[in-house]
Amino acid sequence: MSENPLAPQHLRFPTDPSALTARIWPASATRTDDGELVVGGVTASDLVAEFGTPLYVVDERDVQSRAVRVRNAFTEAFERIGTRAHVYYAGKAFLTTQVAAWMVAADLRVDVCTGGELAVALAGGVDPALLGFHGNDKSDAEIARAVEVGVGTIVLDSHEEVQRVARAAADAGVVQRVRIRINSGVHASTHEYLATAREDQKFGIPLTEAVTAAEAVRAEPSLAFVGLHSHIGSQIFDESGFREAARRLMDVHATLVATGPVPELNLGGGWGIDYTESDSAFEPEDVADALATIVAEACAERDIPVPEIAVEPGRYIVGPAGITLYRVGTIKPVTLADDDHAPATRTYVSVDGGMSDNARPALYGADYTARLARTSDAPAVLTRVVGKHCESGDIVVNDEYLPGDVHRGDLLAVAATGAYCWSLASNYNHVGRPPVVAVADGEPRILVRGESIDDLLARDTGVVPGA
């Protein structure tokens, strides 16, 4: 069997369509002697028997170890240049009360961007002083709540927020620590929807207005200026964008140091993870070392103190630790031909979920890796894993080689779904959001229960009694 001409160039024909590439799958992912997928010591069939499908599965130990690895990488790199690093977990990637508790146990801080995420973090036991609060359109109620509970740092995303946060802090009789999010103008190499520092953009204050914004903050007695913040985007593999953003921020940082204290600098997050064989992710140690070198050199050139550094990884910590399990339904081979090419077949493999539990492929063409939960000796065929929703764009995995004997009733696992899948889940077509289960040491436990039909009807005020 050879490569299918319909396959994209980046998708290599597999020597083993059942193989689990370590850098893509959770650290504990393996197969039994019979070939069944196991995560956290629990087989896929046992998980599905207890919790059904679709099902988000999170390798708890992998999440915790990745959090510790990032913390250690940045701690060690910045200690070498004489300063401290603070790692904030970006809660938007995936946040539950128990995940928040894992981050606390790993000695990470937590980054939130809505009142809902703030509530979850607090309910998970996070010290408010270790929280950062983001958002380009924070409501007055969200700002007041953040100030009231003692959020460690509020990130100002616009000029008008200076006065709004200052008023809330004055009303509460406190001095609120704030950062200023700067739009550095760095064009990160990623999807347009994931690039967050381009000029025509909703996030941040332009680099040219940073000094004016900082002066406005310093003029408010109820605010304490902590420093600048930058985030250039997500799922980035080219380190040049991070380097350039850091250099641009250091220029402004140096200007501000000349007129007052600027104790910290937040360099954001956004480095990518491996979703497919063609991806090539950074190691956190490499990112930490590169940023530490840039900061040290910039401070030496400008003869200024090295500030404390903050970073905000999310995807790296939870993304590879999660998978989603589906039940295979309809199998539909589709043969395509034109005048220039011989006929070729793509097999559509439908599953019992889709864009309601993973919006990323429909949202910005995200790629994933899929495997059957069993092994097979059947020759691999080009497949497109699709969902059950009423959209042609309801695609789970756009291109994948799966064993040719894939059939109705098979269990299928999609890798690296720990970040931005549950977070973006919806009830499209009135499909309930799946449960999230953590696995560790052979034991599963619910992080978030799944939604039932009763849950979907609970908020509908027109339900006919007895129907």
Side-chain angles (χ1 to χ4, degrees):
M1 185 68 68
S2 61
E3 293 191 14
N4 189 309
L6 298 175
Q9 290 186 346
H10 68 79
L11 183 66
R12 295 191 294 268
F13 189 82
T15 55
D16 179 5
S18 299
L20 305 174
T21 302
R23 60 189 174 89
I24 297 173
W25 293 83
S28 67
T30 185
R31 291 191 183 273
T32 66
D33 292 342
D34 294 332
E36 184 175 4
L37 177 66
V38 178
V39 178
V42 188
T43 64
S45 60
D46 284 345
L47 286 166
V48 169
E50 184 171 356
F51 303 106
T53 55
L55 179 65
Y56 299 116
V57 182
V58 179
D59 182 339
E60 180 176 347
R61 298 285 179 260
D62 196 13
V63 172
Q64 293 167 333
S65 66
R66 296 177 76 86
V68 170
R69 182 181 176 187
V70 173
R71 183 202 69 202
N72 289 343
F74 279 88
T75 296
E76 293 167 9
F78 283 90
E79 280 181 349
R80 288 196 292 271
I81 66 170
T83 191
R84 296 193 302 170
H86 307 292
V87 178
Y88 287 78
Y89 169 66
K92 59 183 177 290
F94 173 54
L95 187 64
T96 73
T97 55
Q98 293 174 78
V99 170
W102 297 348
M103 296 305 117
V104 171
D107 199 24
L108 267 62
R109 302 181 180 195
V110 177
D111 168 78
V112 299
C113 56
T114 66
E117 288 183 355
L118 173 60
V120 171
L122 294 174
V126 182
D127 181 348
L130 302 180
L131 291 172
F133 196 112
H134 278 278
N136 68 296
D137 187 32
K138 307 176 192 72
S139 69
D140 289 341
E142 287 174 324
I143 291 172
R145 179 59 175 164
V147 170
E148 175 190 5
V149 301
V151 161
T153 311
I154 295 177
V155 181
L156 304 177
D157 199 87
S158 61
H159 290 288
E160 71 169 55
E161 278 194 352
V162 176
Q163 285 71 42
R164 293 175 63 220
V165 175
R167 284 196 299 271
D171 290 345
V174 300
V175 175
Q176 177 63 54
R177 287 164 42 96
V178 298
R179 305 183 198 275
I180 299 174
R181 178 163 180 169
I182 299 302
N183 185 335
S184 65
V186 172
H187 291 206
S189 299
T190 187
H191 190 281
E192 179 183 357
Y193 290 178
L194 299 177
T196 57
R198 296 178 180 176
E199 292 86 349
D200 193 0
Q201 167 65 247
K202 74 174 186 177
F203 290 113
I205 292 172
L207 194 67
T208 54
E209 300 172 14
V211 172
T212 300
E215 290 173 347
V217 169
R218 286 171 167 169
E220 296 289 345
S222 61
L223 299 181
F225 179 55
V226 174
L228 304 176
H229 173 280
S230 171
H231 183 67
I232 63 172
S234 300
Q235 190 56 9
I236 299 169
F237 296 111
D238 181 357
E239 71 173 24
S240 61
F242 297 114
R243 291 178 176 273
E244 181 59 25
R247 290 190 185 97
R248 294 185 186 187
L249 254 68
M250 286 303 305
D251 285 339
V252 180
H253 177 91
T255 299
L256 293 172
V257 165
T259 56
V262 191
E264 294 183 10
L265 179 66
N266 190 318
L267 297 175
W271 57 88
I273 64 170
D274 294 319
Y275 285 101
T276 69
E277 294 280 357
S278 64
D279 292 328
S280 182
F282 298 117
E283 299 297 337
E285 294 81 5
D286 295 337
V287 178
D289 289 343
L291 292 178
T293 298
I294 291 167
V295 170
E297 291 176 351
C299 289
E301 291 170 0
R302 295 161 178 79
D303 193 25
I304 59 174
V306 178
E308 294 187 3
I309 295 296
V311 290
E312 298 170 348
R315 186 192 312 266
Y316 174 84
I317 292 172
V318 294
I323 68 169
T324 305
L325 293 173
Y326 299 97
R327 181 77 68 181
V328 172
T330 301
I331 308 292
K332 187 181 295 184
V334 175
T335 300
L336 304 174
D338 58 36
D339 294 337
D340 299 322
H341 300 88
T345 299
R346 188 199 318 275
T347 299
Y348 279 74
V349 175
S350 297
V351 296
D352 57 351
M355 63 193 299
S356 60
D357 57 74
N358 188 351
R360 296 185 69 251
L363 189 60
Y364 34 69
D367 290 320
Y368 283 90
T369 295
R371 294 288 183 267
L372 294 184
R374 61 175 176 87
T375 53
S376 170
D377 294 327
V381 298
L382 181 66
T383 63
R384 177 165 289 166
V385 181
V386 295
K388 64 184 293 177
H389 298 286
C390 295
E391 301 281 345
S392 295
D394 178 26
I395 295 170
V396 180
V397 183
N398 200 57
D399 298 285
E400 182 62 281
Y401 283 107
L402 292 176
D405 62 351
V406 57
H407 60 265
R408 173 177 287 276
D410 263 334
L411 293 181
L412 182 139
V414 176
T417 60
Y420 299 104
C421 288
W422 184 86
S423 297
L424 288 169
S426 74
N427 292 132
Y428 182 45
N429 288 152
H430 278 73
V431 172
R433 287 171 291 186
V436 186
V437 174
V439 288
D441 308 321
E443 295 292 332
R445 60 190 178 88
I446 286 280
L447 295 183
V448 183
R449 70 171 179 82
E451 290 179 318
S452 66
I453 294 296
D454 287 342
D455 290 323
L456 297 178
L457 291 172
R459 292 184 298 155
D460 190 322
T461 62
V463 174
V464 178

